[in-house]
Amino acid sequence: MANVTPIKSIPGSGNARTAGEMALGTDTLDPGFIGPANQNIQSAAYTCVLSDMGKQILHPFADNNARTFTIPNAVFPIGAELWFINRRNTVTISIVTEIMYLSPGGSTGNRTLAANGCAVAKKITATEWMIMGWGLT
């Protein structure tokens, strides 16, 4: 590529990416970049897996069915984050036996994510999660 100006780099790595590489989701050196490789589209009941950590789990507009996405026990390390995005109908975000607290209120249990809602769940201890978001009850 001629005359390409890097716009993002990892300090000290000497690795830089262009806007085009980031737009195409080819920014493999930055695990926080949301591109095609960091999205998991689900149109069925789904149980999250370790490789979902840091990804967005998307319930697409094309699926007009209520779905349940489950966070299983003891799979994720403390500090893990799961992003849930719902484009249509409702998604229940379920927890098996660990505890999930709704922020900021502190109530526990499964949560419902409305259409066009977005939520993030973060594991805060070995058996506890905190969940917050928009369109989340």
Side-chain angles (χ1 to χ4, degrees), residues 6-72:
I7 64 167
K8 184 175 180 185
S9 65
I10 298 172
S13 71
N15 295 314
R17 267 89 52 221
T18 66
E21 288 170 323
M22 291 190 305
L24 292 172
T26 58
D27 189 13
T28 58
L29 298 174
D30 184 353
F33 176 72
I34 298 295
N38 287 333
Q39 184 179 69
N40 182 349
I41 300 171
Q42 292 296 324
S43 293
Y46 180 70
T47 299
C48 299
V49 295
L50 191 58
S51 62
D52 287 325
M53 204 165 57
K55 290 183 180 178
Q56 64 179 15
I57 302 163
L58 173 67
H59 178 233
F61 187 82
D63 180 18
N64 191 16
N65 294 292
R67 300 294 182 192
T68 299
F69 295 166
T70 302
I71 300 172

Side-chain angles (χ1 to χ4, degrees), residues 25-130:
T26 58
D27 189 13
T28 58
L29 298 174
D30 184 353
F33 176 72
I34 298 295
N38 287 333
Q39 184 179 69
N40 182 349
I41 300 171
Q42 292 296 324
S43 293
Y46 180 70
T47 299
C48 299
V49 295
L50 191 58
S51 62
D52 287 325
M53 204 165 57
K55 290 183 180 178
Q56 64 179 15
I57 302 163
L58 173 67
H59 178 233
F61 187 82
D63 180 18
N64 191 16
N65 294 292
R67 300 294 182 192
T68 299
F69 295 166
T70 302
I71 300 172
N73 294 330
V75 170
F76 297 95
I78 294 169
E81 286 185 355
L82 299 170
W83 284 84
F84 300 93
I85 299 174
N86 179 27
R87 290 287 290 125
R88 197 168 192 188
N89 211 306
T90 60
V91 169
T92 298
I93 302 170
S94 172
I95 193 95
V96 181
T97 60
E98 293 179 353
I99 300 168
M100 184 166 55
Y101 297 97
L102 177 63
S103 177
S107 59
T108 61
N110 298 336
R111 297 290 153 202
T112 301
L113 188 58
N116 295 309
C118 178
V120 62
K122 182 154 184 99
K123 190 162 187 176
I124 57 172
T125 72
T127 59
E128 297 174 309
W129 289 78
M130 184 74 65

